[in-house]
Amino acid sequence: MSLPALYAEFFKIGLFSIGGGLATLPFLYKLADKYDWLTGEMVGNMLALAQSAPGAIGVNISALAGFQCAGIAGAFAAALGLVSPSVVIIVLVARAFRAFKENALVQAAFSGLRPAAAGLLAAAAFGAIRLSVYDGAAPSWRECLKLRECALFALVFALLRSCKWHPAAYVALAGAAGILLGL
């Protein structure tokens, strides 16, 4: 894939992924269906890495995907493509918002964007959970759930609800458990 084509693909993702980095996941899964250099499993691994690394999740994932496709230049093209629509839109909205912030249509549009962003984030969450604990290629329906991964998910979820540790502690704990359990 050429760098301009990679930039264009991620520009489209950046244009429509309202709600932040996790909202890019449904688009990335579609990209994985479209091209052979990216798979759904790779997107899941990129998500895990992007969430563990400092910086914006969407930019991290796009850079990883771009790197997978075309090396360092691909990482820059994909990340730039993802953030370009936001920069343009923010500049335009900032200029227009002062004049129209009391307009009922503008307020209604923002009210409509909130559920869309929530839907994209929910789809990303369910996709990440499915990728982590479900194996659709299992030989029987009884083996579809990855039991060790489900147990780790439940443990981390319970710890998140009951303990007030730093998020890095959960990442380190889950990474160590993955190594020890051979996940």
Side-chain angles (χ1 to χ4, degrees):
M1 171 178 273
S2 70
L3 293 178
L6 188 63
Y7 174 87
E9 287 289 348
F10 280 90
F11 185 90
K12 289 186 284 187
I13 291 172
L15 190 59
F16 295 107
S17 58
I18 299 164
L22 292 177
T24 64
L25 287 179
F27 299 102
L28 289 171
Y29 285 120
K30 291 289 184 193
L31 202 64
D33 292 340
K34 188 175 179 181
Y35 298 105
D36 61 350
W37 53 266
L38 187 64
T39 65
E41 184 176 347
M42 290 168 75
V43 172
N45 291 338
M46 288 176 188
L47 172 63
L49 184 58
Q51 287 181 319
S52 304
I57 293 171
V59 174
N60 288 348
I61 291 175
S62 64
L64 288 167
F67 184 81
Q68 176 68 31
C69 176
I72 292 175
F76 281 112
L80 186 61
L82 187 79
V83 300
S84 295
S86 298
V87 171
V88 171
I89 290 169
I90 288 170
V91 169
L92 294 174
V93 167
R95 288 186 173 183
F97 190 69
R98 289 187 189 134
F100 297 108
K101 69 180 177 181
E102 301 299 326
N103 186 307
L105 289 175
V106 171
Q107 290 179 353
F110 280 115
S111 293
L113 290 175
R114 283 186 211 110
L120 286 169
L121 291 172
F126 286 124
I129 290 170
R130 181 182 52 83
L131 183 65
S132 298
V133 300
Y134 176 75
D135 181 9
S140 74
W141 66 271
R142 295 172 201 205
E143 299 169 359
C144 286
L145 280 182
K146 301 175 186 175
L147 296 180
R148 293 183 300 174
E149 287 87 340
C150 287
L152 183 58
F153 172 80
L155 174 66
V156 172
F157 186 78
L159 288 172
L160 276 167
R161 303 298 294 161
S162 63
C163 301
K164 302 299 178 202
W165 298 344
H166 191 277
Y170 299 108
V171 172
L173 175 71
I179 291 169
L180 291 173
L181 295 173
L183 303 176

